[in-house]
Amino acid sequence: MITTLVAVACLSVLLAVFFSLRYAWWRGAVDYGRPRILMYHMIRRRRRGGRFNKLRLDPEEFERQLQWLVDNGWRFAFLSELDREAGQSKTVVLTFDDGYRDNYTTAHPLLLKYGAKATLFLVVDRFDRDWSTTKKAHHDSGELMEEPKLTDAEVREMLRSGAWELGAHTLTHALLPDLADGEKRREIADGKAELEATFATRVSSFAYPFGIFGNDDEALAGAAGYDYAVTTEAGISTDTRAEALRLKRVKISGKEGALGFSIRLRTGKRGLLD
């Protein structure tokens, strides 16, 4: 009996430690006057054995998140509205990277249903590219290349709805630190110019591919005329003006769950190792 009780007590302690490390529930909330910038990629079911399932969020879970945000008094804003929203309580900016077709087929109707809006960071040359190999050559399964991408016609419909604004994500989803200065400048500046010409809209924000960038890339983004640039650094920026070209984002994983999502909105991170 004593052995069993000790085993149960040890298991309870281990579970408590695991829960605390995974969710860091005790971490204090970031001031709700600081806008939360959420990072999404795909809204679709996970792929069996997929390497990139963290980028896939189940549509039902996404809808639960939107419902939770509405029920808990969060206000939706575009990234371009960040200055206006600074200091306002409970502002959330939804951002989608890359340009996957499910952003139109699945996310778009849900944004309209809940009166939400989002900023789309679109790669210009997004078809027949496996940009995962750009970062790691051994990621050569073609998994991301096989994912359907948004057509220009779909992007135009999304923009016309008023639920989306357009941001840039380079011409080819390039790994910027690997490029010479001229190529960096072309990817960052020409990506903006091409999107503006194609969709007849101002593009004021930028997302660094893979979230990898240096001080020179930040300077090039500013020189190209972007007001804001986002990273993949997990968290909530506390000074959006000072950090305008290196804004943190709240990572939304396909393995999130309701508890993890609510904690991320409160603290910017889910666990200690996020």
Side-chain angles (χ1 to χ4, degrees):
M1 174 66 75
I2 293 176
T3 301
T4 301
L5 290 175
V6 170
V8 170
C10 289
L11 179 59
S12 298
V13 169
L14 288 173
L15 288 173
V17 170
F18 171 77
F19 183 85
S20 185
L21 289 173
R22 180 173 183 181
Y23 292 105
W25 53 268
W26 37 263
R27 186 185 276 136
V30 175
D31 178 5
Y32 283 106
R34 308 297 183 187
R36 274 63 168 162
I37 305 173
L38 276 55
M39 179 174 66
Y40 294 92
H41 289 79
M42 289 174 265
I43 306 300
R44 56 153 293 177
R45 297 189 186 281
R46 296 175 66 190
R47 177 172 170 173
R48 185 184 296 275
R51 183 191 293 272
F52 299 100
N53 278 334
K54 284 187 176 181
L55 304 183
R56 299 180 173 98
L57 181 68
D58 189 285
E60 292 181 0
E61 186 64 28
F62 181 58
E63 181 164 15
R64 282 193 290 268
Q65 291 177 0
L66 292 177
Q67 184 68 69
W68 185 90
L69 289 167
V70 170
D71 291 346
N72 286 274
W74 288 86
R75 302 167 61 254
F76 298 100
F78 290 134
L79 193 62
S80 63
E81 299 170 329
L82 207 55
D83 268 356
R84 191 187 73 187
E85 293 297 322
Q88 299 291 329
S89 182
K90 288 190 169 183
T91 294
V92 63
V93 178
L94 310 182
T95 65
F96 287 78
D97 287 14
D98 301 339
Y100 298 100
R101 189 165 187 265
D102 56 62
N103 293 181
Y104 169 73
T105 59
T106 307
H108 179 59
L110 290 172
L111 293 185
L112 296 178
K113 178 179 178 179
Y114 289 92
K117 52 187 179 180
T119 299
L120 171 66
F121 291 114
L122 189 65
V123 177
V124 175
D125 186 0
R126 57 195 173 276
F127 302 102
D128 300 319
R129 282 188 175 275
D130 190 4
W131 44 67
S132 59
T133 61
T134 303
K135 182 180 178 184
K136 296 182 179 179
H138 65 281
H139 287 179
D140 57 358
S141 65
E143 183 179 336
L144 294 182
M145 183 169 62
E146 293 167 3
E147 288 289 343
K149 307 301 190 301
L150 288 165
T151 66
D152 288 356
E154 289 164 345
V155 174
R156 288 189 182 95
E157 184 176 339
M158 293 161 73
L159 295 174
R160 281 196 300 268
S161 75
W164 297 83
E165 73 169 0
L166 200 57
H169 203 29
T170 70
L171 291 172
T172 66
H173 204 286
L175 183 60
L176 295 174
D178 281 358
L179 301 182
D181 289 347
E183 280 299 299
K184 286 185 182 185
R185 191 173 294 106
R186 191 177 78 86
E187 288 280 351
I188 293 171
D190 289 6
K192 179 180 191 295
E194 290 217 20
L195 290 178
E196 289 180 333
T198 300
F199 298 104
T201 188
R202 181 169 184 260
V203 173
S204 63
S205 58
F206 177 72
Y208 300 102
F210 310 107
I212 300 174
F213 68 103
N215 291 336
D216 54 340
D217 304 310
E218 187 177 336
L220 288 171
Y226 294 109
D227 298 328
Y228 302 105
V230 296
T231 72
T232 59
E233 182 180 352
I236 299 165
S237 292
T238 56
D239 188 338
T240 54
R241 289 190 177 180
E243 302 173 60
L245 295 176
R246 55 178 187 280
L247 294 166
K248 299 182 181 69
R249 285 191 285 179
V250 180
K251 297 179 180 180
I252 306 301
S253 167
K255 302 176 181 180
E256 196 64 59
L259 178 60
F261 183 74
S262 64
I263 289 174
R264 285 185 191 271
L265 265 291
R266 185 166 61 89
T267 67
K269 302 179 180 181
R270 185 180 70 173
L272 288 180
L273 302 179
D274 191 358

